[in-house]
Amino acid sequence: LFKNINLLYISILLTLSVLIVVFLITNEKTTSFVLTLIKIPKEKQEEYIYTMSQVFKKEVLFKTLFLSFIYIGTAFLGALILLKSMDPLANPLLVFSLPLLMLFGNIPITISGLGLREFVTVYCFTHLGATAELGFSFSIIWFIMTVLIPGLIGFFFILKK
């Protein structure tokens, strides 16, 4: 199906890394140990642990998780519509590179991630059997749709105030 399975391994590694970090920041003993190592005062440690316990209450966690799934689902649907409008024969599984694009687009190396995100998109698309041109075009149009247009709309709303 794909030319290279390394992207699958990278995705699995990133997912496991996130799960480990979430476990570490929610575990009271681990958190206390790390905060003591970096010499955070005891009252700040208790405040952090209390805040994390409030964040990870079931009702707050489930609401946040539900809203996250809605956001990601909407993003995947929009990306699929964009991909199919650009190339009707494109493999719909290319959309699953979207989390990597979002992750690398947020690394503060370039302005709004421009350039880095396009490189990652071209890399992912070519390794998943699509053309580099499709990857680059997809990335630029996705940036315009999800960042530039909403940002300009917000800018004009701020100007009205």
Side-chain angles (χ1 to χ4, degrees):
L1 181 62
F2 295 128
K3 291 181 182 177
N4 192 337
I5 199 158
N6 289 337
L7 289 175
L8 176 65
Y9 295 140
I10 291 170
S11 298
I12 291 171
L13 180 66
L14 286 173
T15 303
L16 289 175
S17 300
V18 167
L19 290 175
I20 289 169
V21 168
V22 167
F23 171 75
L24 291 177
I25 65 172
T26 58
N27 185 314
E28 190 174 336
K29 290 180 182 178
T30 307
T31 304
S32 294
F33 176 72
V34 170
L35 293 176
T36 303
L37 274 179
I38 57 176
K39 299 181 178 155
I40 301 294
K42 194 69 169 166
E43 60 273 357
K44 293 290 183 183
Q45 289 182 21
E46 291 170 1
E47 181 181 334
Y48 175 79
I49 291 170
Y50 174 75
T51 303
M52 291 307 291
S53 69
Q54 295 301 309
V55 168
F56 285 98
K57 282 186 175 179
K58 284 185 181 181
E59 59 272 358
V60 174
L61 189 61
F62 285 132
K63 285 179 187 176
T64 307
L65 191 62
F66 177 72
L67 291 174
S68 297
F69 279 129
I70 289 175
Y71 170 74
I72 295 295
T74 305
F76 273 98
L77 181 62
L80 181 63
I81 291 169
L82 174 62
L83 180 68
K84 286 301 188 175
S85 68
M86 293 175 71
D87 182 6
L89 301 177
N91 188 343
L93 295 177
L94 291 170
V95 173
F96 288 103
S97 64
L98 191 63
L100 288 174
L101 308 181
M102 290 177 177
L103 176 70
F104 284 104
N106 288 320
I107 296 176
I109 295 175
T110 63
I111 297 171
S112 291
L114 285 172
L116 180 62
R117 180 181 36 254
E118 283 68 36
F119 171 76
V120 171
T121 308
V122 168
Y123 180 82
C124 289
F125 274 45
T126 54
H127 278 77
L128 296 174
T131 63
E133 295 83 8
L134 178 64
F136 182 79
S137 301
F138 175 85
S139 179
I140 291 292
I141 295 172
W142 185 253
F143 170 77
I144 291 169
M145 287 176 37
T146 61
V147 176
L148 190 62
I149 292 173
L152 289 173
I153 292 170
F155 176 73
F156 289 121
F157 275 124
I158 289 173
L159 286 181
K160 284 185 177 182
K161 290 183 179 182

